[in-house]
Each structure stands twice: as C-alpha cells, then as structure tokens.
Amino acid sequence: MSELKPRKDLLDIEGLELPEIEYVLSNAVPFKQLFQRSVKKVPTLRGKTVLNLFYEPSTRTSSSFEVAANRMSADVTNFTVSSSSVVKGESLLDTIETLQAMRSDYIVIRHQAAGVPNIVAKHTGASVINAGDGYHAHPTQALLDAMTFREVYPDYQGRKMVIVGDVLHSRVARSTSTLFHKLGIEVGVLGPGTLIPSGRHEFIRRFRSWDEVFDWKPDAVYLLRVQLERQEGMFFPSIAEYHKMYGMNTERLVRMRQIGAYLMHPGPVNRGVEITDEAMRYERSLISTQVENGIAVRMAVLHWLKPETDTD
Amino acid sequence: MSESGDHVREAILSPEEISAGVADLARQIAYRCAGDEVAFVGIYTRGVTLARRVAEALKAQGLRYPVGTLDISLYRDDFDNRGADLPTLESSDIPFGLDGIRVILFDEVIFTGRTIRAALDGLMDYGRPAKIELAVLVDRGHREIPIQPDYVSTHIGTTRDQYVKVRFREDDGGEEGVFLETPRKVPAA
C-alpha cells in the first residue's frame, strides 16, 4: 500500500510528484505481464465507461487507450470530432455538457489547443487523461518512454538521452524531457535551430551536430516524428535537407552501434525523413516495445486515477 | 498481552505453534493428495510465504510441489472504495500450466471469504485446474460468501471488529507470531 493522495486527472507531467510517477511505473510492470497470459483481461473496471474524445486524428494513441481500457474490462466509446466542425469557445462547453449526460467515468482527450483537457477536467467529475494538447503535453507518452528506458536500464539514474528533431512542435519532447529530468536522466536535444525552443527547460543540453551528440555518448537516441502537417510555416528548407542533417541514416547507425545506444521513436515514423528503412531494423530499436509499454502504462493510469462521479 | 493507543494486542500463536501449524497442513495435504499432480499458489503477501513453508516441509518427505504467486488486487470487489491506500501491484507468477492439475490456494487467514473469491477468479484466468482447494493457517470465522477452506491449522473464535494479524519473519522484519487485536472501547466522557 502506498499513501498517495487520490488524483482525479492526468493533465501534464509538471504537476506529478515523484512517488506518483514511481507508483504508476511500478504498477505498469504487472499489467504488462498480463499480456503473456492467454486471458489478457482483468475485471477491475467492469461496468465503468471510458470515452475517447479525439479532436485530432490519432490512430495509435486512441487504439492504445482503447486496448488498455478493454483489458481492464471497461466499456469504451470512441468520439472523434473533425476539427473543421469545431467552433471554438461555446461549442467546447456544449460538448462537455453532452459528456456529463453520458456519465463517462474516464475521458481521454486529445485536442489541437493547449489547455483544453484542463478545462474539461474542471467541468466534469470524470477522470480526464490528456492524450496530447497542442504543443503542451502528452503525459502518457512520457510515462511509457520512461518505462521503456528503465526496462533496458534498471540503473537509469545519471544515464543520458538525446532527443532529435522538431522539439518546438513537440509535446512529446516537452513531457518526456520533463519526466526524464525528474527521474534523474540527463536530456539533450539536437534539431534545426529554428525548432529548438529558447529560454525554456534550462536543464536541457543543446547540441549543434551529430558529432557532438556521439561525443556525449548518449544511452538512447529519441527521434521525434517530423510533423509534416504542421510545417506550413516551413521552419527548415526541405524534407531532404532535414533527412541529411538530422535523420538516422547508415553512417549514424554505425556510430549508434559503437556506443551501444538504444533507438526510440514515438511513432508513427516517416521513413526517409527522420529514419531510414535500415534504421527501422536496428537491433537496439525500442520502437515496438514502446507500443507495448504504452498499453501497460495506460492501464496503470486508468487504475490509478479516481473519478469523482456519482454512483447513485 | 500488550496495549497500544487504539487496540489491545494478544499473542495467540507462538513461533513454535506456527511451525507446528505448517507441519500439520503439510501432513493433511500429503495424506489427501497422495498420487495427484499438485501445485501451490500463494496469495500475496503472506499466503505466498505460507505456501513456500508448507512446500518446504513436504520436500523433506520427497514431495516436490511447485509454488506460484497471485496478486488479487485487480480482482477485488471493493475497487470503488479505494481511499488513500492505493494498492501497489505485485507480479503474479505462475510458471506452470494449471490445466488438469490439483491446485491448492494458500492464504494466511480466512475471514469474509472475499479475498478467496477474487483469487478464484484470478486463478481461472491462468487455466482450468481439475480441482482447486484452499489451505489457511487461521480460520477466524465471519464469512460473507459461501467459501470454506479445505485445510485449516487453527480455528480462532473472534468478534467481527477484531483483527487477526499474522506476522512471518520473511515479510515482517523478523517478527513471527499470530496476534489478536481488539479495538479499545472509547472511554465514557
């Protein structure tokens, strides 16, 4: 038993205390072991409902939450809202009212605007899980990244990870680097100058080249997805240029092998942009493990949060 | 008998009596399971220790029964009422097939029977044993569902508000014994 105060929502990493992080990460391990059984399901959330509310397309994250909820025996409803039909402001509150009437116990929400999950959380008794809001946060991604890193490095403290890519547009980079920092893992970043945020996250080491990265000998290299859909402003000259400067190619793979670094990526990958076909077959790639751990971590999060919904 | 702030504590089984109880369970099991394929499954935390001790006692008689472990937190019927005590999950480890064998579940105390109900559900997600039985060190009565142990070492008469605490040196920092704790009556003002 651990004495943690009950928490209703998971909105970001910044607000989490270390014992809470440890609690979720350690519970995720027995959840993952259930996947080895022929019956992969437990009855814990029988009769509870999980609403997947996605204002941005995402097959992976919503499926991962759906599988996690199913394995806890909850009922899942997928509610995908096309962004074009959303009129801001009032319509969000209208949606919340609808959700209240549906009496969901858990709401998993992804939205293109930062802060929307916080607003929903304030207006509902359901537990709200942020599945990505704007450039702000993606806490369950950070938790699954930490679980994956700790599996390969049980002695994770003092180890080093470098995040490569579009850090400016990445809620993954933000949540994951914050969590890794909290856990005592050193974080560095490499990316186009225009895509590295300035002034924020002083604890992060910045690199200007792959040579500097490999000299630092990171234990893992985390490639971010180039978010092609968010490149209207053209922060770097071309995809080919990006690949040449920052992509994981044959030559960089050789150096990865020399230092024994693991490769991580939040998916979905853009082959030929941040990663090559060859790098996808790298023996120290943790990309599929991240997917599997995502389900376990999300089960642990559903198990941990306590909705304030009426049961009468 | 010792007293602390909110309850009176009384030793009801000494370490020697616990050892005798373990030997007694081993004897009953050896007698009734002769010739069967048997495996033990202990319920976290102290059911695991009890199962290991009984298995060890049987080893001396040439009977080798494997011991698995089961965490029942995810199968409990009071998940909605969890408060500040959030259950830290343990890894259930049943490294043998259950299909067609005789499984003996172990818990240190049987009280309402609800833990065993949860354990039966959990166990059956691992396979379909030919038979499931239950062994406990202490039966303290007050069942709320119709589940009864097959192997019992000690019956203790209790009132509903008392606690029976089993302490095993493996789990409790060296402390060993079974204690009955009675809540102290609130003194009249």
Side-chain angles (χ1 to χ4, degrees):
Chain A
M1 297 284 176
S2 35
E3 292 280 324
L4 299 175
K5 58 175 191 289
R7 183 180 280 276
K8 182 171 93 68
D9 310 299
L10 175 60
L11 302 173
D12 57 29
I13 292 296
E14 282 80 358
L16 297 186
E17 317 246 342
L18 207 50
E20 295 180 296
I21 295 165
E22 284 299 334
Y23 180 72
V24 173
L25 293 179
S26 75
N27 277 356
V29 175
F31 277 117
K32 186 175 180 181
Q33 279 163 353
L34 296 176
F35 308 166
Q36 309 302 318
R37 309 195 315 198
S38 69
V39 178
K40 295 175 183 58
K41 197 167 185 161
V42 289
T44 319
L45 297 184
R46 201 162 56 92
K48 300 285 186 284
T49 52
V50 176
L51 184 75
N52 266 341
L53 180 62
F54 279 68
Y55 285 85
E56 253 187 9
S58 157
T59 315
R60 293 175 156 249
T61 306
S62 74
S63 314
S64 179
F65 272 105
E66 188 171 350
V67 172
N70 283 335
R71 288 186 182 168
M72 303 281 289
S73 299
D75 297 310
V76 186
T77 307
N78 290 306
F79 197 102
T80 308
V81 190
S82 77
S83 46
S84 60
S85 74
V86 176
V87 187
K88 291 194 183 70
E90 229 174 24
S91 79
L92 178 66
L93 292 175
D94 286 346
T95 309
I96 293 171
E97 204 143 301
T98 311
L99 302 180
Q100 285 282 55
M102 287 179 174
R103 289 179 166 266
S104 300
D105 299 289
Y106 302 84
I107 298 173
V108 177
I109 181 165
R110 167 166 291 189
H111 200 283
Q112 55 275 32
V116 167
N118 302 58
I119 297 169
V120 175
K122 262 188 210 113
H123 289 87
T124 171
S127 283
V128 173
I129 301 169
N130 182 359
D133 60 333
Y135 302 156
H136 172 225
H138 193 354
T140 57
Q141 177 72 45
L143 289 164
L144 76 88
D145 291 336
M147 178 182 184
T148 306
F149 191 91
R150 290 180 6 152
E151 272 179 357
V152 292
Y153 295 115
D155 57 337
Y156 57 92
Q157 279 172 332
R159 290 200 176 263
K160 298 180 279 194
M161 182 171 79
V162 65
I163 301 178
V164 179
D166 188 358
V167 177
L168 183 66
H169 290 112
S170 177
R171 55 197 174 211
V172 173
R174 186 183 171 121
S175 286
T176 296
S177 61
T178 304
L179 180 58
F180 277 50
H181 178 66
K182 281 192 183 215
L183 291 171
I185 300 161
E186 283 188 65
V187 181
V189 294
L190 169 70
T194 49
L195 298 183
I196 301 283
S198 54
R200 179 172 93 187
H201 291 167
E202 295 74 17
F203 56 84
I204 293 178
R205 187 184 289 258
R206 291 145 179 255
F207 297 104
R208 283 163 302 186
S209 69
W210 277 102
D211 283 336
E212 283 186 12
V213 168
F214 288 122
D215 287 345
W216 192 52
K217 294 192 171 61
D219 298 290
V221 171
Y222 195 112
L223 302 178
L224 292 174
R225 195 171 77 87
V226 173
Q227 292 172 303
L228 301 166
E229 67 277 16
R230 291 198 183 143
Q231 285 304 322
E232 300 97 353
M234 289 307 277
F235 291 92
F236 48 84
S238 72
I239 296 301
E241 181 79 358
Y242 183 93
H243 180 67
K244 197 170 147 222
M245 298 288 289
Y246 304 106
M248 181 55 65
N249 58 21
T250 305
E251 172 204 333
R252 288 166 194 150
L253 214 49
V254 170
R255 304 199 55 186
M256 291 285 283
R257 283 198 176 93
Q258 283 166 357
I259 60 171
Y262 284 93
L263 182 65
M264 298 173 74
H265 189 295
V269 300
N270 297 307
R271 287 181 188 239
V273 185
E274 70 269 7
I275 195 164
T276 57
D277 291 342
E278 186 193 7
M280 286 296 289
R281 294 188 297 270
Y282 179 44
E283 62 280 5
R284 289 201 157 199
S285 164
L286 297 174
I287 300 173
S288 328
T289 312
Q290 285 173 278
V291 176
E292 190 178 8
N293 289 349
I295 298 167
V297 151
R298 289 173 178 124
M299 290 173 82
V301 167
L302 287 169
H303 174 261
W304 164 51
L305 298 178
K306 197 169 191 318
E308 290 164 8
T309 40
D310 299 334
T311 45
D312 56 359
Chain B
M1 189 174 294
S2 74
E3 303 201 2
S4 75
D6 54 357
H7 60 255
V8 180
R9 192 184 212 215
E10 182 187 353
I12 46 179
L13 291 181
S14 66
E16 295 70 32
E17 287 167 319
I18 290 178
S19 300
V22 167
D24 179 33
L25 287 174
R27 241 188 328 272
Q28 294 180 46
I29 289 167
Y31 177 72
R32 285 170 51 188
C33 297
D36 285 358
E37 190 184 344
V38 178
F40 290 177
V41 174
I43 299 171
Y44 271 106
T45 304
R46 291 175 192 78
V48 173
T49 306
L50 181 63
R52 288 193 177 130
R53 287 188 183 185
V54 174
E56 194 59 37
L58 288 167
K59 214 185 274 178
Q61 305 173 31
L63 294 168
R64 291 184 177 272
Y65 297 155
V67 179
T69 63
L70 187 65
D71 181 298
I72 56 117
S73 309
L74 299 173
Y75 290 86
R76 296 184 65 93
D77 58 9
D78 54 359
F79 185 69
D80 277 345
N81 301 324
R82 67 198 186 283
D85 280 349
L86 292 169
T88 298
L89 305 180
E90 301 284 347
S91 293
S92 296
D93 180 23
I94 302 183
F96 41 82
L98 296 182
D99 289 357
I101 67 167
R102 184 167 181 171
V103 174
I104 304 180
L105 262 180
F106 281 80
D107 206 0
E108 80 275 28
V109 176
I110 182 164
F111 178 26
T112 62
R114 288 178 191 271
T115 299
I116 307 304
R117 198 282 309 157
L120 291 172
D121 282 354
L123 198 60
M124 285 192 268
D125 281 350
Y126 284 87
R128 187 179 183 282
K131 185 171 192 169
I132 304 175
E133 297 177 299
L134 173 64
V136 298
L137 188 64
V138 174
D139 180 351
R140 59 159 295 187
H142 303 284
R143 222 73 81 229
E144 292 172 359
I145 44 178
I147 285 178
Q148 307 303 337
D150 300 279
Y151 309 94
V152 184
S153 165
T154 309
H155 291 269
I156 299 171
T158 60
T159 60
R160 187 69 178 71
D161 61 349
Q162 290 175 314
Y163 295 96
V164 174
K165 292 243 166 97
V166 173
R167 292 286 171 261
F168 285 146
R169 64 179 74 85
E170 297 92 320
D171 306 310
D172 299 292
E175 191 185 14
E176 177 92 5
V178 178
F179 304 92
L180 184 65
E181 293 183 353
T182 307
R184 190 189 293 281
K185 296 271 186 300
V186 180

